[in-house]
Amino acid sequence: MSDWTYTVSVRSLCEFTAKRGSLDRRFTPSATALEGQAGQMAVLARRSPGYETELPLEGRYGQLRVRGRADGYEADVNRLEEIKTIRGPVELIPENRRALHWAQLETYGALIAADRGLAELELALVYVDADTQNETVLRDKATAAALQAAFEARCLQFEAWAAQEAEHRTARDAGLGTLPFPLGELRPGQRLLAEAVYRAATNGRCLLAQAPTGIGKTLGTLYPLLRAMPGQQLDKIGYMTCKGTGRITALEALHALREAAPTQALRVLTLVAKEQACEHPTKACHGDACPLAHGFYDKLPAARAEAVQLGWLDAGAQRRVALQHGVCPYYLGQELLRWADVVVGDVHHAFDPYGQLYGLAQAQGWKLALLVDEAHNLIDRTRDMYSASLSLARVRGAVANAPVSLRAPLRGLAKELAALGRAQTVDYQPLPAVPEALAEALQRVIVALGEYVQNHPLEVGPMLEFYFEVLGLQRLLDRLDTHSLCDLQRRASATRPVAAAPANLSLLDDGHEDDGSGDLLLSVRNIVPGHFLKERFEGLSSVTLFSATLGPPDYPRHLLGLPDDTAWIDVPAPFPPEHLTVQIAHRLSTRYEHRHASLDALVELIATQFGQHPGNYLAFFSSFDYLDQAAARLALRHPDVPQWSQSRAMGDGARRAFLDRFVADGHGIGFAVLGGAFAEGVDLPGTRLIGAFIATLGLPPVSPLQDQVRERLDAMFGADHGYADLVPGMQKIVQAAGRVLRSADDRGWVWLLDKRYARHDVRALLPTWWQI
């Protein structure tokens, strides 16, 4: 292959060629992207008016094209700068990381010297402290000839790998261009979905795809995006899931697609969580502590070469290759992310503030397209990613575990949090901001913990975990706005229920004494994650979010911050409407105040349906208490009806046993909680499940917190949208009802056990193909 060209970023070239020695992942708190921008702005403000920033530079070596953007050049003094925002002393930056920074600066130096005909150049590596914005500048002078020689040496070292990657890309794109659908013909609804995904990819748009169970959504989204990959010159596809079962389905579909391809050139990588991949969880990620970190970068080239030849890189394959070469499986997977074509993993890799997939895509300039499965969960998942809490009990625990040097600031934090609790006369209190004294105490703890973890780089355990928590809380407090709530909540202790604070409440203000009233929880709760996600959606080549329950389309558009031109498709159900009988219990009310009075009528309706149409049913309730009441009443009035119930804190074995009761042609009723483990992602085809009873509207419990959420969303989007309660509640209802029909041949019943289902605003949120 003599006519190939391979484009590589300066960062990628240097990371491939300059990293040596051991892993050194000791925790030196990194700056966020915003802090990095602030650090660069602080530097720019101190430079002369003619200072050039973000210089696009490019150079060639053989068939390599190297490009990137240099941070800054000051022509008056002929100085090129690389700016890195850090936390803590420069001396604690690992040597191999600092060597990487110099390699990047020297490469930019070679490119600008060649571009502007410079004979020599001053190089300045500028480290900016994220907290103080003070600069530490490391300088060197180099001739253009020396810089060019170093550049050519790096390119020569990378050239063989680049040739291999160019050949792989050509083979991959050729195979995808003629990729057949592995099942022969697409189903009608599946074809509509596939066409919409393909259009979104080719137009560089986002797509919301509401598609019911049974049409083959996984293949219906992966296949068209893979076909679009060559024409759109996509570097990677991310298949992101909100639940672990989705990853299994995605890998099965990708395996079928690889088998159907003319050449199996597609590299598929599963992103594995660190806690699942780590072989030595009690050891620090450092060459002096963990044997799989020692000499990691020296052993990496051989492990990387073997892995990319395999192509199919699920968790098991990554572990086998890693251990064979004596390297860490988790960090090998992180390195392989750079060379994979399709990445399968949890949504946090793309949407979390520290998500590796999105972070690398931005740093490397990749064209990345995402598919997000079960995307109705994405709002809650991303809310969690941009929320944080700190309890008084947690601070107490930190004091108990802390070395002497940390106890004073931790006690100070506990004292201020307790003082805020004493001033609070209700169990829940929204806060416009954290009081100044508490904010200062929190900052003192962060500074003290930062110094501690920097001075104890090999230590893992409670102090490091607590540091992560308070640092995450502080970062969200720094960005507090209308998109999030800040509040203080009194929580019940193990021995006493939540009550109004007594006048003599004493919570750890002077020596760990507590009257038993309970705990305090300071929280930043994200309500509208779109504030944080908008920039991400704009920076991706295309994103398709799909689920059986996404509507109304404005709900995810508004709350996730999707672009205004986001497309929408509602794929028709593959089931004949007459296969699902949907009925409303017009005389029943399951409101909290009516439950006791309506319980007999409710269980009679369940028993009557079971008697007329025997089979397996699921019965969904809003809480375990309500579930227990209904199950007990059914057992009392109809002991001949077999039943089994979901219990609190079910383990994997208990969940499997619950589902195993649903045998083909079986008879019985499984009681479950709406929104729990059995309300979605459960596949019971044919006669394993013939019906569902839903004794709730899925509305969140009434509480002061829920009132705050509703007020905030109503103020932002209007009171008539139902974003705080009705819309997410109806999504849960439709998900639960979706357990009944799993194929076009299935038949079944859904009973909506509340007269409120007859209301126009409620029915408007139910599937249009339901015949009610």
Side-chain angles (χ1 to χ4, degrees):
M1 178 177 175
S2 58
D3 57 347
W4 63 273
T5 298
Y6 189 88
T7 301
V8 61
S9 69
V10 168
R11 176 170 172 169
S12 291
L13 175 68
C14 294
E15 286 175 338
F16 190 94
T17 59
K19 283 188 174 180
R20 294 289 182 270
S22 298
L23 266 176
D24 187 354
R25 306 296 292 188
R26 71 182 85 183
F27 184 68
T28 50
S30 58
T32 65
L34 283 176
E35 289 168 339
Q37 293 169 13
Q40 289 210 353
M41 293 300 293
V43 171
L44 299 183
R46 301 176 188 130
R47 299 301 185 258
S48 64
Y51 189 80
E52 301 176 59
T53 63
E54 292 292 309
L55 286 77
L57 297 171
E58 183 175 312
R60 301 291 294 250
Y61 176 83
Q63 286 152 306
L64 281 182
R65 182 172 64 168
V66 182
R67 62 184 182 185
R69 288 182 178 271
D71 288 333
Y73 176 66
E74 199 160 6
D76 293 348
V77 293
N78 192 28
R79 181 190 301 129
L80 183 70
E81 295 186 332
E82 177 75 6
I83 304 168
K84 302 292 183 184
T85 305
I86 62 168
R87 269 196 167 88
V90 171
E91 296 76 24
L92 291 180
I93 299 173
E95 187 59 39
N96 57 3
R97 197 174 304 175
R98 196 182 305 179
L100 173 62
H101 297 162
W102 275 114
Q104 290 177 256
L105 180 55
E106 291 167 356
T107 303
Y108 284 124
L111 297 178
I112 195 170
D115 182 64
R116 303 196 179 189
L118 305 175
E120 62 178 9
L121 188 63
E122 181 181 351
L123 305 176
L125 187 53
V126 182
Y127 289 109
V128 187
D129 188 280
D131 297 316
T132 66
Q133 295 191 338
N134 292 333
E135 297 179 31
T136 300
V137 183
L138 308 179
R139 291 187 171 90
D140 192 18
K141 282 194 174 182
T143 64
L147 292 170
Q148 182 65 23
F151 171 71
E152 292 179 1
R154 289 190 186 97
C155 291
L156 186 62
Q157 188 178 346
F158 184 71
E159 191 174 35
W161 182 269
Q164 171 190 288
E165 290 304 293
E167 184 175 356
H168 164 76
R169 180 76 171 244
T170 299
R172 183 201 77 179
D173 288 354
L176 293 178
T178 58
L179 179 67
F181 189 68
L183 302 182
E185 293 292 326
L186 286 91
R187 306 170 198 170
Q190 192 178 45
R191 178 173 291 279
L192 288 175
L193 174 63
E195 290 171 349
V197 173
Y198 188 84
R199 283 195 302 271
T202 54
N203 293 325
R205 295 176 66 186
C206 292
L207 168 69
L208 290 165
Q210 183 165 271
T213 298
I215 69 163
K217 292 190 288 288
T218 307
L219 275 173
T221 52
L222 273 168
Y223 175 69
L225 193 54
L226 287 170
R227 286 296 301 264
M229 201 172 190
Q232 299 308 303
Q233 297 184 329
L234 296 178
D235 295 299
K236 295 189 194 309
I237 290 172
Y239 190 101
M240 318 315 295
T241 67
C242 293
K243 300 200 173 184
T245 53
R247 292 192 283 283
I248 297 171
T249 305
L251 289 172
E252 290 172 348
L254 284 163
H255 187 269
L257 287 160
R258 276 185 102 236
E259 291 295 316
T263 61
Q264 293 187 8
L266 194 69
R267 293 179 189 157
V268 177
L269 174 73
T270 302
L271 288 174
V272 185
K274 188 174 183 179
E275 56 269 21
Q276 295 172 347
C278 182
E279 297 286 322
H280 300 286
T282 61
K283 294 180 170 63
C285 299
H286 188 285
D288 294 339
C290 178
L292 299 181
H294 184 72
F296 177 88
Y297 291 110
D298 300 326
K299 304 170 192 172
L300 175 62
R304 179 173 54 208
E306 180 178 341
V308 298
Q309 290 303 314
L310 287 176
W312 186 259
L313 297 164
D314 59 9
Q318 292 174 56
R319 184 174 186 269
R320 286 193 301 273
V321 173
L323 297 185
Q324 181 179 337
H325 291 272
V327 298
C328 171
Y330 174 73
Y331 284 106
L332 175 62
Q334 298 293 292
E335 291 290 333
L336 293 175
L337 177 55
R338 304 163 190 274
W339 314 109
D341 302 311
V342 181
V343 178
V344 179
D346 186 80
V347 290
H348 84 267
H349 295 290
F351 296 104
D352 187 83
Y354 306 102
Q356 181 78 355
L357 177 58
Y358 177 79
L360 266 179
Q362 294 303 296
Q364 305 289 354
W366 294 336
K367 288 193 71 175
L368 171 66
L370 295 184
L371 299 171
V372 182
D373 191 7
E374 298 295 350
H376 62 280
N377 291 300
L378 189 60
I379 292 172
D380 283 344
R381 285 294 310 276
T382 50
R383 279 173 170 165
D384 287 344
M385 293 174 198
Y386 295 92
S387 299
S389 297
L390 181 65
S391 73
L392 185 54
R394 186 77 175 98
V395 181
R396 289 179 182 173
V399 172
N401 287 306
V404 174
S405 62
L406 294 176
R407 289 178 188 168
L410 286 169
R411 284 189 178 123
L413 177 59
K415 179 178 179 180
E416 295 300 334
L417 189 53
L420 188 60
R422 289 198 308 276
Q424 181 171 308
T425 59
V426 293
D427 291 337
Y428 175 83
Q429 181 65 54
L431 302 173
V434 171
E436 185 176 349
L438 179 57
E440 291 175 354
L442 180 62
Q443 191 59 44
R444 285 193 292 270
V445 166
I446 289 173
V447 171
L449 280 168
E451 292 175 355
Y452 178 81
V453 297
Q454 288 165 359
N455 292 328
H456 300 79
L458 302 186
E459 184 174 314
V460 295
M463 286 298 100
L464 186 58
E465 293 173 6
F466 187 73
Y467 188 26
F468 284 140
E469 291 179 32
V470 294
L471 200 60
L473 177 63
Q474 182 62 62
R475 285 174 171 171
L476 290 174
L477 286 169
D478 290 341
R479 301 185 68 183
L480 186 63
D481 207 331
T482 55
H483 51 72
S484 300
L485 290 170
C486 181
D487 58 44
L488 188 69
Q489 186 175 23
R490 185 172 291 111
R491 303 193 300 179
S493 66
T495 58
R496 184 168 172 174
V498 172
N504 64 344
L505 181 65
S506 175
L507 290 170
L508 196 65
D509 57 347
D510 58 4
H512 296 266
E513 292 189 3
D514 177 15
D515 74 345
S517 296
D519 191 16
L520 294 171
L521 187 70
L522 175 68
S523 301
V524 175
R525 307 175 196 268
N526 178 250
I527 307 300
V528 183
H531 175 84
F532 299 99
L533 303 181
K534 180 179 175 62
E535 184 178 323
R536 299 202 173 208
F537 286 116
E538 292 172 350
L540 293 163
S541 180
S542 74
V543 184
T544 293
L545 294 87
F546 60 99
S547 168
T549 52
L550 275 182
D554 279 349
Y555 177 62
R557 279 194 190 117
H558 287 158
L559 268 66
L560 292 173
L562 290 161
D564 292 339
D565 67 347
T566 297
W568 163 263
I569 182 173
D570 190 357
V571 179
F575 318 112
E578 61 271 17
H579 281 200
L580 184 68
T581 301
V582 183
Q583 299 188 73
I584 297 173
H586 290 278
R587 296 183 179 181
L588 275 181
S589 171
T590 60
R591 292 179 187 271
Y592 183 80
E593 61 269 23
H594 300 152
R595 287 177 188 172
H596 180 74
S598 65
L599 196 56
D600 283 344
L602 185 148
V603 298
E604 286 304 317
L605 189 153
I606 291 175
T608 300
Q609 171 68 27
F610 183 83
Q612 293 175 350
H613 303 283
N616 286 329
Y617 291 81
L618 273 166
F620 293 103
F621 295 83
S622 56
S623 67
F624 280 105
D625 286 342
Y626 193 18
L627 179 156
D628 292 340
Q629 293 171 29
R633 189 66 57 92
L634 181 67
L636 178 66
R637 297 176 67 92
H638 297 278
D640 56 322
V641 177
Q643 63 164 276
W644 54 98
S645 295
Q646 179 182 0
S647 61
R648 295 169 175 83
M650 275 181 123
D652 290 341
R655 286 196 293 269
R656 284 194 297 271
F658 181 92
L659 292 175
D660 287 344
R661 296 286 298 269
F662 292 88
V663 297
D665 299 318
H667 296 79
I669 299 173
F671 285 78
V673 172
L674 188 75
F678 307 114
E680 62 176 278
V682 171
D683 192 19
L684 299 169
T687 58
R688 291 188 66 191
L689 183 72
I690 67 165
F693 305 98
I694 304 176
T696 173
L697 263 70
L699 305 179
V702 176
S703 70
L705 171 58
Q706 181 59 26
D707 290 343
Q708 288 293 314
V709 172
R710 183 184 300 106
E711 288 178 16
R712 184 65 54 90
L713 289 174
D714 287 354
M716 296 178 74
F717 303 112
D720 58 340
H721 286 79
Y723 287 175
D725 38 44
L726 189 58
V727 171
M730 287 300 101
Q731 288 188 346
K732 292 177 184 176
I733 299 303
V734 178
Q735 278 290 328
R739 302 312 97 205
V740 177
L741 298 190
R742 307 302 292 175
S743 73
D745 296 325
D746 288 353
R747 293 175 179 268
W749 289 262
V750 170
W751 269 98
L752 304 174
L753 303 181
D754 195 295
K755 59 186 178 183
R756 286 174 289 174
Y757 281 105
R759 284 177 9 198
H760 174 74
D761 59 333
V762 175
R763 294 185 63 164
L765 295 171
L766 298 174
T768 55
W769 65 274
W770 284 9
Q771 296 182 344
I772 305 176

